[in-house]
Amino acid sequence: GAGVSQSPSNKVTEKGKDVELRCDPISGHTALYWYRQSLGQGLEFLIYFQGNSAPDKSGLPSDRFSAERTGGSVSTLTIQRTQQEDSAVYLCASSSLGQGVETQYFGPGTRLLVL
Amino acid sequence: AQSVTQLDSQVPVFEEAPVELRCNYSSSVSVYLFWYVQYPNQGLQLLLKYLSGSTLVKGINGFEAEFNKSQTSFHLRKPSVHISDTAEYFCAAYSGGYQKVTFGTGTKLQVIP
């Protein structure tokens, strides 16, 4: 079946604009994760969804970042008033039940560049 | 708090030579460990994971890792690398409950022909 898909694959925006990043998880996966990958920083956890609720938002770097998930499927990560330090690759992953021992399946990422 | 350390940011190695990518974790409780690989312009995919049982775990593409509780390590090894193994490798740990999976900063493996 289809894997995790993300759109857009690349996004260039101007400082101060809002951006929306989309993640389409594997069908039937209840857990969905957002990570940020910056040069030399590894993978930074942002937020985790179990179904449509987000029990762990601890990784969101500021109140400019928000995410939602509807219908237990597609998720959108929104960054308001983008800053240059938001430039990174944003990765989405899903797993079947959200238990930490499960394999996470990653999408190809969205490369965000804030000018 | 749980942490994962990958001391080597880059590891160059000649083709057909052996390689070891180091990973150390800190956790006061039982831990589950993973290695993921990210090929250029792709998402991460699971190489192998340790949940319990045998401390030597075999994964895809000829990789294996050994869980060493006394040294809090989970080093990744391959006896003979190929050009196609050039990628970034991430170690990750999970301690159970509601805690998230914690990833290391990654090690770039560069296989030299």
Side-chain angles (χ1 to χ4, degrees):
Chain A
V4 177
S5 61
Q6 293 185 245
S7 60
S9 53
N10 292 282
K11 176 73 178 178
V12 180
T13 191
E14 293 178 352
K15 179 181 171 182
K17 298 275 174 109
D18 298 352
V19 295
E20 279 191 358
L21 312 180
R22 176 189 167 106
C23 172
D24 212 330
I26 291 173
S27 177
H29 278 193
T30 61
L32 186 147
Y33 311 80
W34 282 100
Y35 296 89
R36 179 166 71 176
Q37 186 178 20
S38 306
L39 197 62
Q41 299 293 317
L43 277 167
E44 178 188 2
F45 168 82
L46 297 179
I47 189 169
Y48 153 64
F49 285 94
Q50 181 64 265
N52 291 336
S53 63
D56 190 349
K57 303 180 184 180
S58 62
L60 293 177
S62 75
D63 59 8
R64 295 186 296 104
F65 287 72
S66 63
E68 65 174 13
R69 189 179 184 196
T70 54
S73 180
V74 172
S75 175
T76 303
L77 177 70
T78 301
I79 310 173
Q80 295 178 308
R81 305 181 303 281
T82 52
Q83 304 294 312
Q84 288 181 333
E85 61 262 28
D86 299 334
S87 296
V89 177
Y90 289 81
L91 290 169
C92 174
S94 70
S95 67
S96 55
L97 295 175
Q99 297 170 2
V101 298
E102 295 173 338
T103 298
Q104 293 186 29
Y105 295 86
F106 284 80
T110 293
R111 279 176 169 69
L112 175 66
L113 178 60
V114 182
L115 300 176
Chain B
Q2 179 178 271
S3 68
V4 176
T5 303
Q6 292 180 250
L7 285 173
D8 305 307
S9 59
Q10 295 191 55
V11 173
V13 62
F14 286 104
E15 193 174 14
E16 297 183 7
V19 69
E20 178 179 85
L21 306 183
R22 296 181 294 168
C23 173
N24 288 88
Y25 66 91
S26 69
S27 176
S28 59
V29 298
S30 297
V31 66
Y32 308 97
L33 298 157
F34 308 78
W35 276 99
Y36 283 83
V37 59
Q38 185 178 32
Y39 296 105
N41 300 312
Q42 294 185 29
L44 281 73
Q45 59 182 272
L46 183 72
L47 262 184
L48 50 80
K49 63 182 174 183
Y50 170 77
L51 302 183
S52 65
S54 173
T55 56
L56 184 63
V57 182
K58 293 191 184 296
I60 61 171
N61 300 339
F63 283 92
E64 62 181 33
E66 184 153 23
F67 171 61
N68 188 319
K69 188 174 181 179
S70 62
Q71 296 186 8
T72 60
S73 69
F74 191 56
H75 301 332
L76 182 70
R77 302 185 182 101
K78 186 169 182 179
S80 175
V81 295
H82 302 284
I83 294 289
S84 59
D85 293 324
T86 294
E88 190 160 16
Y89 293 79
F90 292 89
C91 183
Y94 171 70
S95 296
Y98 243 176
Q99 293 195 57
K100 58 186 182 289
V101 175
T102 302
F103 285 83
T105 52
T107 298
K108 286 188 169 71
L109 175 63
Q110 178 68 45
V111 180
I112 305 162

